[in-house]
Amino acid sequence: MTFGFRSGRLPAEMTSFVGRTAELATVRRLLGRSRLVTLTGPGGVGKTRIALRAAAQVKGDYADGVRLVQLSGLQDAELLPHTVAAAVGLPGSDHRPALDALVEALAEREQLLVLDTCEHLLDAVALLADVLLPAAPRLHILATSRQPLDVPGEHLYAVQPLSVPDPGESGHRPGSSDALALFAQRAGAAVPGFEITDGNREQATALIRRLDGIPLGIELAAVRLRALSLEQLTEHLTDTYDVLEAGRSVPEPRHRTLRTLIGWSHELCTPQERLLWARLSVFAGGFDLAAAEAVCADPELPVANVLPLLISLVDKSVVLRADGPAGPGSGNRYRLLDTIREYGADWLDSLGETATCRSRHVAHYHRLLSHFADRFFTSDQLPLYRAVAPDGDNLRAALGYALQDPGSAGHPASLTAVMWTYWTCSGRLLEAEYWMAKALANGGAAADRIVTLCWRADYCRYRARPTEGLVWVLQARELAEGLGEPRLLAQALRVGGCVRNWLGDHDGAMADFAAAEPLLKQLDRGALVQHHYFKSQTFSLSGGRPQEGLVEAEEALRLCREEPDECWAQGSSSTARTLSLFLLGRYAESAAEARRGLALKGALGDRLGMAATLEMIGCAEACSGRSRRGAGMLGAADSAWQRAGSEPMAGNKTALAMRVRAEGQLVEALGEKEFRLLSAQGRELDEERTLAFATAGTDHPPAIPRRRTPGA
């Protein structure tokens, strides 16, 4: 079973790490005495590699480990707290502002946070560090940036290029300088059998001196040995360097050097390789072949040419293969280094193609999400989510492009109307509201606005804010009635009924469901499932009619059996049946159904759904006489609600009363002291142990290994 997607982990190194022994020792020493260390230097000098290697070496010194926040794909500074929150494991559905949630979560952690590539978000990162460090006394931050953050207490370390032999010294062996050793390794990888010998050492030394010892320059040069001899390479670089450098006025010599090196690599590409390089610059983070073909191909660059050109750019170290696959059967993912992407973006702008490529980028991700939305309530749901999940940076970029130019790139509301698929599965509800608010403020087609408003309303309910949700769903209903589209009106009525149920307005909720009934024959199966389980919740919670709720839940589950591998709606229908069974006093059946719902929600990583089912398991076990298990499960549910970023049972008063009843029975059966002890043990469980405890059926929460202290 797969429980969601992990983020913030240190990536595996894709190539060997050369040298930097002294630098790593210095960074480790600085982290030992300063809580904010920033590695500065020009692009391509090796800041990220040093930071990641140093973080891997010291992670055992932090009881809560290391978390990586890669910022190169983030363009909107307002989303920085959300991005960091996701990397440290906080839910995107938290009802609080992301910065407040971060402060609270990190306050007690002993953790190293690696913030990589900060220069384009300098003010926002500085503000974040200035807030987090005083509030979290055991938090350390290791940042990489081309410029200092200028935060009080910041300790700067300027990363220098790799050491090169002094003039007049060619070195006695490849390892006599780190730059020469790196060139020897990368050249050997590019041309099997290549070695630094007495016969070519002087040329190799001259080359790396010309490259200023900048690692990225050395990497780019080494792959050219496939086409040129070392002597030709050195001569060609010198001539081209002089031509490209002429007339440039860049304040920092090493920035000029790197820019020239990338320009030299660009000159050695074919015209079609250069064109693909430029067009790939619109991607944020990684991309797969299908995305590259959709965004970059046109009559000037035929789609059949994209793959061979992409392979050629990989061979030239312009494009890198990223970690992990894009999704089942979809092949590799790729990425551009920031400095190379920036060069490509400048080239794209000079070609006058930026708006066109951004428009194709938006269109591609709109198609991807539209297909996901069309197939959301089918057995394709989980594989489609796994395929789209790695593209979070690109989805945000697409929204940004659409907001900047809604006329040519596509209206942002057309994206938010289908992006609920990604937000619902990933639990990024706070981020969803941010983008929905921006999209709705920019107008858009009525149909797109209706869908966006409905999901915004439902997300407010999930986050215990049904009063606000009612505002949005009433707007959606008014628009739908004016548009006269039965499917959209039914959605607005369905969500309206659910929001009113959360407000305790049973009559209003049932009126909405009744108004939707004549439209049911025009709904697809997924909408019918939602209609029945929303109605089931309403009968059980605000109506006090669990038998009727059970009938509705079982009808929803009957429809779900047509797509047996669908998880989200089937899990929600199972939770609705769990609730009805509990209120009917059928506690053992309720607990069994809740465990089934937990497996479905867990497969998708739906934290809100998991929290609700854990709560129901705890209540059902408590009322069926399994008191020790019930106490542990309720404690585990408390932590699950916190991870989900919501109040218990999303603030629903009837459901909360069930909890109070269950706790009363547990205190009576166990005594106050034993109940609190077992609940506390359940709260200590992480997500993995909680799921194991829930599915194993044991009475006692599993033991938690004693927390290791730094240096132990």
Side-chain angles (χ1 to χ4, degrees):
M1 184 179 297
T2 301
F3 299 107
F5 294 86
R6 293 175 179 266
S7 62
R9 306 295 189 188
L10 294 177
E13 291 183 338
M14 303 297 286
T15 57
S16 58
F17 190 92
V18 176
R20 302 294 201 182
T21 303
E23 290 92 332
L24 289 168
T26 300
V27 173
R28 293 196 303 268
R29 186 169 63 253
L30 291 176
L31 286 170
R33 67 186 191 206
S34 175
R35 295 179 54 226
L36 173 59
V37 177
T38 303
L39 308 186
T40 61
V45 81
K47 300 183 297 295
T48 296
R49 289 298 301 268
I50 292 173
L52 295 180
R53 173 57 71 99
Q57 291 177 342
V58 302
K59 66 181 179 181
D61 295 341
Y62 299 89
D64 294 297
V66 176
R67 286 286 178 161
L68 169 65
V69 190
Q70 295 175 313
L71 299 176
S72 61
L74 180 67
Q75 299 303 316
D76 192 327
E78 290 185 61
L79 289 177
L80 176 64
H82 302 75
T83 303
V84 178
V88 301
L90 301 189
S93 53
D94 199 307
H95 63 285
R96 299 163 295 174
L99 186 56
D100 293 348
L102 260 181
V103 168
E104 181 177 324
L106 296 177
E108 300 303 320
R109 290 194 194 182
E110 182 169 31
Q111 194 162 62
L112 174 64
L113 201 58
V114 181
L115 304 178
D116 184 41
T117 315
C118 300
E119 57 271 358
H120 61 302
L121 302 167
L122 211 58
D123 291 342
V125 174
L127 178 62
L128 182 72
D130 210 19
V131 170
L132 290 181
L133 289 171
R138 297 188 298 164
L139 176 70
H140 286 63
I141 294 176
L142 176 60
T144 73
S145 177
R146 296 179 199 175
Q147 296 174 255
L149 302 182
D150 283 333
V151 173
E154 178 183 27
H155 199 120
L156 298 176
Y157 182 71
V159 176
Q160 302 298 321
L162 293 168
S163 61
V164 300
D166 294 329
E169 175 196 353
S170 60
H172 301 295
R173 62 188 188 283
S176 61
S177 82
D178 287 345
L180 199 58
L182 178 64
F183 180 72
Q185 283 203 15
R186 299 300 186 260
V191 181
F194 177 90
E195 294 181 350
I196 303 292
T197 66
D198 291 339
N200 65 15
R201 184 173 290 111
E202 186 173 342
Q203 290 172 340
T205 302
L207 178 68
I208 62 169
R209 278 205 206 98
R210 195 61 168 125
L211 297 169
D212 260 355
I214 295 176
L216 177 57
I218 294 170
E219 302 256 4
L220 292 172
V223 297
R224 301 309 302 172
L225 289 174
R226 292 173 181 158
L228 301 171
S229 69
L230 180 55
E231 183 179 8
Q232 291 171 322
L233 179 62
T234 305
E235 182 180 350
H236 193 86
L237 173 60
T238 300
D239 293 343
T240 309
Y241 188 105
D242 291 339
V243 171
L244 292 174
E245 191 180 44
R248 293 197 184 276
S249 176
V250 183
E252 171 56 54
R254 286 189 177 121
H255 282 285
R256 182 173 66 248
T257 298
L258 184 66
R259 179 81 180 183
T260 301
L261 291 171
I262 296 173
W264 166 69
S265 189
H266 190 262
E267 289 294 312
L268 293 174
C269 289
T270 67
Q272 287 232 312
E273 287 171 348
R274 293 177 205 166
L275 186 58
L276 179 59
W277 177 349
R279 292 177 177 180
L280 290 173
S281 69
V282 299
F283 289 105
F287 56 90
D288 59 19
L289 175 61
E293 290 175 337
V295 173
C296 301
D298 67 359
E300 187 178 359
L301 181 60
V303 67
N305 292 0
V306 173
L307 178 57
L309 289 169
L310 187 59
I311 292 171
S312 182
L313 290 176
V314 170
D315 288 342
K316 291 179 169 68
S317 292
V318 171
V319 174
L320 303 180
R321 283 194 177 91
D323 289 344
S330 55
N332 290 319
R333 286 184 66 81
Y334 305 89
R335 67 183 178 93
L336 298 175
L337 290 178
D338 294 331
T339 46
I340 289 176
R341 183 172 62 243
E342 289 162 9
Y343 194 99
D346 288 346
W347 188 260
L348 188 68
D349 199 45
S350 71
L351 296 173
E353 291 194 9
T354 299
T356 300
C357 285
R358 287 182 172 183
S359 180
R360 289 202 293 254
H361 180 281
V362 172
H364 170 69
Y365 288 103
H366 184 271
R367 283 193 300 271
L368 193 69
L369 291 163
S370 294
H371 178 60
F372 190 10
D374 290 342
R375 303 292 298 162
F376 188 80
F377 294 103
T378 74
S379 295
D380 293 338
Q381 182 186 87
L382 188 55
L384 285 173
Y385 174 51
R386 286 176 172 161
V388 78
D391 272 310
D393 284 338
N394 277 309
L395 300 182
R396 284 186 282 271
L399 283 161
Y401 295 155
L403 283 164
Q404 290 169 24
D405 191 4
S408 64
H411 198 280
S414 69
L415 281 168
T416 57
V418 289
M419 208 175 289
W420 60 267
T421 53
Y422 168 72
W423 288 325
T424 297
C425 291
S426 65
R428 295 179 180 271
L429 307 191
L430 188 60
E431 183 179 319
E433 289 195 59
Y434 170 84
W435 289 114
M436 287 176 168
K438 282 183 173 290
L440 291 167
N442 279 270
D448 293 333
R449 291 178 62 80
I450 291 165
V451 177
T452 299
L453 284 163
C454 284
W455 281 101
R456 189 178 186 186
D458 213 19
Y459 290 164
C460 285
R461 174 182 68 89
Y462 288 156
R463 298 176 60 221
R465 289 166 31 220
T467 301
E468 184 181 340
L470 186 61
V471 173
W472 307 126
V473 78
L474 288 176
Q475 287 185 24
R477 179 171 176 174
E478 182 179 357
L479 281 171
E481 288 171 341
L483 193 63
E485 217 292 323
R487 179 182 60 84
L488 295 174
L489 178 57
Q491 182 177 7
L493 290 167
R494 185 169 67 248
V495 174
C498 196
V499 170
R500 292 183 194 278
N501 175 39
W502 237 244
L503 288 166
D505 178 9
H506 182 71
D507 291 341
M510 295 309 294
D512 280 347
F513 289 128
E517 297 286 348
L519 307 170
L520 288 179
K521 61 180 179 297
Q522 302 178 59
L523 301 183
D524 58 33
R525 190 192 55 81
L528 284 172
V529 171
Q530 285 186 289
H531 180 86
H532 287 296
Y533 74 66
F534 278 174
K535 198 172 177 183
S536 172
Q537 287 179 339
T538 303
F539 275 131
S540 294
L541 291 174
S542 63
R545 296 148 67 186
Q547 185 59 51
E548 290 166 272
L550 183 61
V551 171
E552 294 290 340
E554 289 180 342
E555 176 59 16
L557 286 168
R558 184 191 68 77
L559 290 167
C560 285
R561 282 194 285 273
E562 296 175 21
E563 295 283 350
D565 293 328
E566 187 275 336
C567 295
W568 190 77
Q570 191 175 178
S572 297
S573 301
S574 181
T575 303
R577 184 172 188 267
T578 296
L579 177 64
S580 297
L581 289 168
F582 179 87
L583 292 172
L584 288 167
R586 295 160 62 176
Y587 303 124
E589 290 177 78
S590 177
E593 187 67 46
R595 286 192 291 272
R596 178 176 178 274
L598 180 65
L600 291 161
K601 292 297 188 180
L604 199 59
D606 179 353
R607 283 180 164 173
L608 280 165
M610 287 190 281
T613 52
L614 287 166
E615 181 89 17
M616 290 305 307
I617 292 171
C619 289
E621 300 287 26
C623 293
S624 64
R626 298 190 67 183
S627 302
R628 301 181 69 82
R629 177 170 169 79
M633 288 304 309
L634 288 180
D638 288 338
S639 293
W641 284 115
Q642 188 174 27
R643 284 192 293 269
S646 183
E647 298 176 18
M649 295 307 288
N652 185 275
K653 293 180 180 179
T654 304
L656 289 172
M658 293 163 44
R659 168 68 176 254
V660 171
R661 172 187 163 192
E663 286 185 345
Q665 291 191 228
L666 291 171
V667 170
E668 184 177 346
L670 298 169
E672 182 82 22
K673 182 178 179 181
E674 183 72 2
F675 165 69
R676 295 197 179 281
L677 175 64
L678 290 166
S679 295
Q681 289 176 356
R683 277 191 293 275
E684 285 295 312
L685 301 178
D686 59 16
E687 190 169 287
E688 186 176 347
R689 288 189 175 88
T690 294
L691 292 164
F693 176 39
T695 54
T698 55
D699 282 344
H700 293 273
I704 304 297
R706 190 172 63 86
R707 190 182 177 95
R708 178 185 47 74
T709 57

PDB file of all heavy atoms in Angstrom, residues 341-358:
ATOM      1  N   ARG A 341      18.897  27.313 -17.324  1.00  0.00           N
ATOM      2  CA  ARG A 341      17.524  27.714 -17.637  1.00  0.00           C
ATOM      3  C   ARG A 341      17.445  29.231 -17.852  1.00  0.00           C
ATOM      4  O   ARG A 341      16.742  29.712 -18.752  1.00  0.00           O
ATOM      5  CB  ARG A 341      16.573  27.297 -16.516  1.00  0.00           C
ATOM      6  CG  ARG A 341      15.112  27.640 -16.831  1.00  0.00           C
ATOM      7  CD  ARG A 341      14.128  27.069 -15.849  1.00  0.00           C
ATOM      8  NE  ARG A 341      14.338  27.584 -14.517  1.00  0.00           N
ATOM      9  CZ  ARG A 341      14.687  26.838 -13.476  1.00  0.00           C
ATOM     10  NH1 ARG A 341      14.872  25.546 -13.631  1.00  0.00           N
ATOM     11  NH2 ARG A 341      14.854  27.373 -12.288  1.00  0.00           N
ATOM     12  N   GLU A 342      18.155  30.000 -17.015  1.00  0.00           N
ATOM     13  CA  GLU A 342      18.141  31.452 -17.169  1.00  0.00           C
ATOM     14  C   GLU A 342      18.698  31.866 -18.533  1.00  0.00           C
ATOM     15  O   GLU A 342      18.155  32.767 -19.188  1.00  0.00           O
ATOM     16  CB  GLU A 342      18.966  32.092 -16.048  1.00  0.00           C
ATOM     17  CG  GLU A 342      18.301  31.999 -14.683  1.00  0.00           C
ATOM     18  CD  GLU A 342      19.285  32.234 -13.550  1.00  0.00           C
ATOM     19  OE1 GLU A 342      20.443  32.645 -13.833  1.00  0.00           O
ATOM     20  OE2 GLU A 342      18.913  32.016 -12.386  1.00  0.00           O
ATOM     21  N   TYR A 343      19.763  31.205 -18.963  1.00  0.00           N
ATOM     22  CA  TYR A 343      20.336  31.515 -20.274  1.00  0.00           C
ATOM     23  C   TYR A 343      19.319  31.185 -21.363  1.00  0.00           C
ATOM     24  O   TYR A 343      19.119  31.959 -22.307  1.00  0.00           O
ATOM     25  CB  TYR A 343      21.629  30.717 -20.484  1.00  0.00           C
ATOM     26  CG  TYR A 343      22.464  31.206 -21.650  1.00  0.00           C
ATOM     27  CD1 TYR A 343      23.546  32.047 -21.438  1.00  0.00           C
ATOM     28  CD2 TYR A 343      22.164  30.821 -22.956  1.00  0.00           C
ATOM     29  CE1 TYR A 343      24.310  32.501 -22.504  1.00  0.00           C
ATOM     30  CE2 TYR A 343      22.916  31.273 -24.029  1.00  0.00           C
ATOM     31  CZ  TYR A 343      23.984  32.114 -23.800  1.00  0.00           C
ATOM     32  OH  TYR A 343      24.739  32.578 -24.853  1.00  0.00           O
ATOM     33  N   GLY A 344      18.681  30.027 -21.239  1.00  0.00           N
ATOM     34  CA  GLY A 344      17.668  29.647 -22.215  1.00  0.00           C
ATOM     35  C   GLY A 344      16.502  30.612 -22.237  1.00  0.00           C
ATOM     36  O   GLY A 344      15.961  30.930 -23.310  1.00  0.00           O
ATOM     37  N   ALA A 345      16.093  31.099 -21.052  1.00  0.00           N
ATOM     38  CA  ALA A 345      14.967  32.046 -20.986  1.00  0.00           C
ATOM     39  C   ALA A 345      15.321  33.356 -21.675  1.00  0.00           C
ATOM     40  O   ALA A 345      14.482  33.964 -22.367  1.00  0.00           O
ATOM     41  CB  ALA A 345      14.590  32.296 -19.533  1.00  0.00           C
ATOM     42  N   ASP A 346      16.560  33.814 -21.501  1.00  0.00           N
ATOM     43  CA  ASP A 346      16.998  35.033 -22.201  1.00  0.00           C
ATOM     44  C   ASP A 346      16.970  34.821 -23.709  1.00  0.00           C
ATOM     45  O   ASP A 346      16.562  35.702 -24.476  1.00  0.00           O
ATOM     46  CB  ASP A 346      18.415  35.415 -21.756  1.00  0.00           C
ATOM     47  CG  ASP A 346      18.459  35.964 -20.345  1.00  0.00           C
ATOM     48  OD1 ASP A 346      17.385  36.303 -19.809  1.00  0.00           O
ATOM     49  OD2 ASP A 346      19.569  36.046 -19.772  1.00  0.00           O
ATOM     50  N   TRP A 347      17.428  33.656 -24.145  1.00  0.00           N
ATOM     51  CA  TRP A 347      17.440  33.338 -25.577  1.00  0.00           C
ATOM     52  C   TRP A 347      16.010  33.267 -26.117  1.00  0.00           C
ATOM     53  O   TRP A 347      15.713  33.769 -27.205  1.00  0.00           O
ATOM     54  CB  TRP A 347      18.187  32.026 -25.790  1.00  0.00           C
ATOM     55  CG  TRP A 347      18.450  31.678 -27.221  1.00  0.00           C
ATOM     56  CD1 TRP A 347      17.761  30.799 -28.002  1.00  0.00           C
ATOM     57  CD2 TRP A 347      19.466  32.224 -28.063  1.00  0.00           C
ATOM     58  NE1 TRP A 347      18.292  30.739 -29.269  1.00  0.00           N
ATOM     59  CE2 TRP A 347      19.345  31.605 -29.339  1.00  0.00           C
ATOM     60  CE3 TRP A 347      20.487  33.156 -27.861  1.00  0.00           C
ATOM     61  CZ2 TRP A 347      20.186  31.899 -30.402  1.00  0.00           C
ATOM     62  CZ3 TRP A 347      21.329  33.443 -28.931  1.00  0.00           C
ATOM     63  CH2 TRP A 347      21.180  32.827 -30.172  1.00  0.00           C
ATOM     64  N   LEU A 348      15.118  32.653 -25.339  1.00  0.00           N
ATOM     65  CA  LEU A 348      13.716  32.547 -25.748  1.00  0.00           C
ATOM     66  C   LEU A 348      13.102  33.937 -25.895  1.00  0.00           C
ATOM     67  O   LEU A 348      12.351  34.206 -26.835  1.00  0.00           O
ATOM     68  CB  LEU A 348      12.932  31.725 -24.719  1.00  0.00           C
ATOM     69  CG  LEU A 348      11.492  31.366 -25.089  1.00  0.00           C
ATOM     70  CD1 LEU A 348      11.459  30.387 -26.253  1.00  0.00           C
ATOM     71  CD2 LEU A 348      10.760  30.773 -23.883  1.00  0.00           C
ATOM     72  N   ASP A 349      13.434  34.806 -24.948  1.00  0.00           N
ATOM     73  CA  ASP A 349      12.913  36.172 -25.004  1.00  0.00           C
ATOM     74  C   ASP A 349      13.437  36.906 -26.237  1.00  0.00           C
ATOM     75  O   ASP A 349      12.692  37.632 -26.905  1.00  0.00           O
ATOM     76  CB  ASP A 349      13.312  36.917 -23.729  1.00  0.00           C
ATOM     77  CG  ASP A 349      12.457  38.143 -23.490  1.00  0.00           C
ATOM     78  OD1 ASP A 349      11.229  38.046 -23.635  1.00  0.00           O
ATOM     79  OD2 ASP A 349      13.027  39.205 -23.171  1.00  0.00           O
ATOM     80  N   SER A 350      14.717  36.691 -26.564  1.00  0.00           N
ATOM     81  CA  SER A 350      15.292  37.353 -27.742  1.00  0.00           C
ATOM     82  C   SER A 350      14.650  36.844 -29.028  1.00  0.00           C
ATOM     83  O   SER A 350      14.603  37.560 -30.031  1.00  0.00           O
ATOM     84  CB  SER A 350      16.809  37.142 -27.786  1.00  0.00           C
ATOM     85  OG  SER A 350      17.131  35.799 -28.114  1.00  0.00           O
ATOM     86  N   LEU A 351      14.146  35.605 -28.997  1.00  0.00           N
ATOM     87  CA  LEU A 351      13.455  35.047 -30.159  1.00  0.00           C
ATOM     88  C   LEU A 351      12.008  35.536 -30.256  1.00  0.00           C
ATOM     89  O   LEU A 351      11.326  35.274 -31.254  1.00  0.00           O
ATOM     90  CB  LEU A 351      13.457  33.515 -30.098  1.00  0.00           C
ATOM     91  CG  LEU A 351      14.817  32.816 -30.183  1.00  0.00           C
ATOM     92  CD1 LEU A 351      14.652  31.315 -29.935  1.00  0.00           C
ATOM     93  CD2 LEU A 351      15.465  33.061 -31.540  1.00  0.00           C
ATOM     94  N   GLY A 352      11.520  36.175 -29.187  1.00  0.00           N
ATOM     95  CA  GLY A 352      10.136  36.641 -29.164  1.00  0.00           C
ATOM     96  C   GLY A 352       9.123  35.529 -28.972  1.00  0.00           C
ATOM     97  O   GLY A 352       7.957  35.670 -29.354  1.00  0.00           O
ATOM     98  N   GLU A 353       9.548  34.418 -28.339  1.00  0.00           N
ATOM     99  CA  GLU A 353       8.672  33.252 -28.219  1.00  0.00           C
ATOM    100  C   GLU A 353       8.191  32.984 -26.791  1.00  0.00           C
ATOM    101  O   GLU A 353       7.522  31.982 -26.554  1.00  0.00           O
ATOM    102  CB  GLU A 353       9.401  31.998 -28.720  1.00  0.00           C
ATOM    103  CG  GLU A 353       9.648  31.961 -30.206  1.00  0.00           C
ATOM    104  CD  GLU A 353      10.062  30.574 -30.680  1.00  0.00           C
ATOM    105  OE1 GLU A 353       9.982  29.624 -29.880  1.00  0.00           O
ATOM    106  OE2 GLU A 353      10.461  30.437 -31.845  1.00  0.00           O
ATOM    107  N   THR A 354       8.538  33.857 -25.857  1.00  0.00           N
ATOM    108  CA  THR A 354       8.214  33.566 -24.461  1.00  0.00           C
ATOM    109  C   THR A 354       6.709  33.383 -24.257  1.00  0.00           C
ATOM    110  O   THR A 354       6.261  32.408 -23.646  1.00  0.00           O
ATOM    111  CB  THR A 354       8.747  34.681 -23.547  1.00  0.00           C
ATOM    112  OG1 THR A 354      10.166  34.754 -23.686  1.00  0.00           O
ATOM    113  CG2 THR A 354       8.397  34.410 -22.094  1.00  0.00           C
ATOM    114  N   ALA A 355       5.913  34.321 -24.753  1.00  0.00           N
ATOM    115  CA  ALA A 355       4.457  34.241 -24.552  1.00  0.00           C
ATOM    116  C   ALA A 355       3.876  32.988 -25.196  1.00  0.00           C
ATOM    117  O   ALA A 355       3.011  32.315 -24.612  1.00  0.00           O
ATOM    118  CB  ALA A 355       3.786  35.489 -25.116  1.00  0.00           C
ATOM    119  N   THR A 356       4.359  32.657 -26.382  1.00  0.00           N
ATOM    120  CA  THR A 356       3.839  31.478 -27.089  1.00  0.00           C
ATOM    121  C   THR A 356       4.142  30.197 -26.322  1.00  0.00           C
ATOM    122  O   THR A 356       3.268  29.322 -26.166  1.00  0.00           O
ATOM    123  CB  THR A 356       4.454  31.394 -28.497  1.00  0.00           C
ATOM    124  OG1 THR A 356       4.104  32.569 -29.220  1.00  0.00           O
ATOM    125  CG2 THR A 356       3.951  30.172 -29.240  1.00  0.00           C
ATOM    126  N   CYS A 357       5.377  30.057 -25.839  1.00  0.00           N
ATOM    127  CA  CYS A 357       5.751  28.830 -25.115  1.00  0.00           C
ATOM    128  C   CYS A 357       5.038  28.739 -23.775  1.00  0.00           C
ATOM    129  O   CYS A 357       4.647  27.650 -23.352  1.00  0.00           O
ATOM    130  CB  CYS A 357       7.265  28.774 -24.927  1.00  0.00           C
ATOM    131  SG  CYS A 357       8.146  28.339 -26.437  1.00  0.00           S
ATOM    132  N   ARG A 358       4.866  29.866 -23.123  1.00  0.00           N
ATOM    133  CA  ARG A 358       4.116  29.841 -21.861  1.00  0.00           C
ATOM    134  C   ARG A 358       2.669  29.435 -22.105  1.00  0.00           C
ATOM    135  O   ARG A 358       2.076  28.708 -21.303  1.00  0.00           O
ATOM    136  CB  ARG A 358       4.195  31.203 -21.177  1.00  0.00           C
ATOM    137  CG  ARG A 358       5.551  31.499 -20.557  1.00  0.00           C
ATOM    138  CD  ARG A 358       5.556  32.843 -19.851  1.00  0.00           C
ATOM    139  NE  ARG A 358       6.788  33.046 -19.099  1.00  0.00           N
ATOM    140  CZ  ARG A 358       7.036  34.110 -18.350  1.00  0.00           C
ATOM    141  NH1 ARG A 358       6.128  35.089 -18.262  1.00  0.00           N
ATOM    142  NH2 ARG A 358       8.176  34.211 -17.690  1.00  0.00           N
TER     143      ARG A 358
END
